[in-house]
């Protein structure tokens, strides 16, 4: 799985494994379902779900490394499509290392809340997810319909030799397409040069819901404004993480 994805995206094996584990964890998190799109970036409200961008920043930057030498006793980690069961174990661990990761996660969550509330445009985190990190809506609907039809047919007919394997293969194809799209978005935003990154910014402005944006056009003012906000957010995050790491090291 990793080798196949490595041939398509400009990431090393360790990076693909990390991004894949983060993707599976995000999909399995109850806080990353459709509710975040409803609330936009107003994370100050009680019960409001964090946006995709905030969830991704929090989980990916605090994700412990995969431990294949110590597999989970009842649910071993065997596929990049599944949630690493050791993540749940780490979340409930009382070790000092896990506690440090927990405190870092809280810190990042608070910093991202400030960034999304005061710097980035409202709803940007979920707009970015829709533009760059999810399958096109029509393709996703078609794949879901195919999966539903396959499940309905399996209820009315007995499995023949190979039918179960076909269903599993179809499920894996759908999961691979979703993961491939996620990795493609990550590459476009960070590894494929300024032109690709600018295209993502343009798509976010065009798809941000502004009434003046039509077809393949976006207002130049909105484009410049978003680029400035992203630069300011990156500067704040870089400084905040540096100060946090310095504080942690000084306390050791």
């Amino acid at each position: 799985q990793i080798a196949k994805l490595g041939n398509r995206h400009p990431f090393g094996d360790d990076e693909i494994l990390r991004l894949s584990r983060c993707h599976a964890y995000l999909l399995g998190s109850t806080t990353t379902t459709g509710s975040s799109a409803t609330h936009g970036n107003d994370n100050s409200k009680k019960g409001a779900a964090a946006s995709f961008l905030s969830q991704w920043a929090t989980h990916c930057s605090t994700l412990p490394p995969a431990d294949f030498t110590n597999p989970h006793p009842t649910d071993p980690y065997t596929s990049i499509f599944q949630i690493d069961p050791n993540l749940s174990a780490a979340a409930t661990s009382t070790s000092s290392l896990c506690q440090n990761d927990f405190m870092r996660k809280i810190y990042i969550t608070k910093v991202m809340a400030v960034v999304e509330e005061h710097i980035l445009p409202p709803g940007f985190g979920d707009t970015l997810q829709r533009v760059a990190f999810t399958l096109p809506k029509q393709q996703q609907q078609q794949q879901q319909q195919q999966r539903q039809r396959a499940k309905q047919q399996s209820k009315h007919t007995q499995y023949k030799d190979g039918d179960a394997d076909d269903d599993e293969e179809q499920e894996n194809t759908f999961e691979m397409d979703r993961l491939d799209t996620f990795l493609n978005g990550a590459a476009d935003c960070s590894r494929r040069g300024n032109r690709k990154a600018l295209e993502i910014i343009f798509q976010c402005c065009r798809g941000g819901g502004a009434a003046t944006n039509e077809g393949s056009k976006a207002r130049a003012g909105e484009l410049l404004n978003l680029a400035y906000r992203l630069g300011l957010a990156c500067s704040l995050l870089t400084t905040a993480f540096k100060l946090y790491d310095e504080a942690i090291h000084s306390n050791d």
Side-chain angles (χ1 to χ4, degrees):
Q1 293 172 325
I2 293 178
K4 179 180 179 181
L5 291 168
N7 292 331
R8 290 176 53 81
H9 303 288
F11 297 111
D13 289 351
D14 290 342
E15 292 173 315
I16 289 178
L17 179 60
R18 185 176 187 84
L19 287 168
S20 299
R21 292 171 66 232
C22 183
H23 178 250
Y25 195 61
L26 287 173
L27 287 178
S29 174
T30 57
T31 59
T32 57
T33 54
S35 58
S36 61
T38 303
H39 294 289
N41 279 7
D42 190 3
N43 297 328
S44 61
K45 296 180 180 179
K46 291 184 178 180
S51 76
F52 160 81
L53 183 63
S54 181
Q55 289 283 340
W56 186 26
T58 302
H59 291 308
C60 201
S61 60
T62 59
L63 196 68
D67 186 4
F68 296 107
T69 63
N70 185 29
H72 194 276
T74 59
D75 186 21
Y77 182 62
T78 58
S79 171
I80 57 177
F81 302 137
Q82 74 179 97
I83 299 177
D84 185 349
N86 287 324
L87 293 179
S88 300
T92 58
S93 175
T94 58
S95 68
S96 59
L97 179 60
C98 290
Q99 288 300 310
N100 288 338
D101 289 340
F102 179 72
M103 294 302 297
R104 181 179 177 83
K105 181 175 291 188
I106 293 177
Y107 178 78
I108 294 174
T109 300
K110 291 181 178 179
V111 173
M112 287 302 301
V114 172
V115 168
E116 293 208 279
E117 183 177 355
H118 298 289
I119 299 179
L120 296 177
F124 172 76
D126 296 304
T127 299
L128 179 65
Q129 178 187 25
R130 184 172 63 253
V131 166
F133 291 91
T134 55
L135 287 170
K137 187 174 182 180
Q138 184 177 6
Q139 181 182 358
Q140 189 170 11
Q141 289 176 342
Q142 290 175 347
Q143 290 182 333
Q144 289 176 342
Q145 290 172 355
Q146 291 175 356
R147 294 167 66 205
Q148 290 174 354
R149 284 197 295 268
K151 288 182 180 179
Q152 290 175 352
Q153 290 176 357
S154 66
K155 291 180 181 179
H156 299 292
T157 60
Q158 294 182 346
Y159 273 115
K160 298 179 181 179
D161 293 340
D163 282 354
D165 293 337
D166 291 342
D167 286 349
E168 183 178 356
E169 182 178 354
Q170 187 177 34
E171 180 72 19
N172 287 340
T173 298
F174 176 72
E175 296 297 338
M176 179 62 79
D177 287 344
R178 284 206 298 188
L179 176 57
D180 188 69
T181 302
F182 179 84
L183 293 175
N184 189 67
D188 284 350
C189 290
S190 62
R191 292 290 177 87
R192 292 192 172 124
N194 296 335
R195 184 179 180 84
K196 277 294 183 181
L198 183 59
E199 287 179 5
I200 297 298
I201 295 176
F202 174 82
Q203 294 292 340
C204 288
C205 291
R206 192 186 68 169
T212 54
N213 291 344
E214 297 180 0
S216 59
K217 298 180 180 180
R219 294 186 60 132
E222 292 181 12
L223 192 65
L224 293 173
N225 181 268
L226 178 55
Y228 174 78
R229 287 171 180 259
L230 288 171
L232 185 60
C234 288
S235 178
L236 185 146
L237 289 171
T238 300
T239 303
F241 294 154
K242 181 180 179 181
L243 292 174
Y244 179 84
D245 291 337
E246 290 176 351
I248 291 297
H249 292 321
S250 65
N251 292 331
D252 290 344

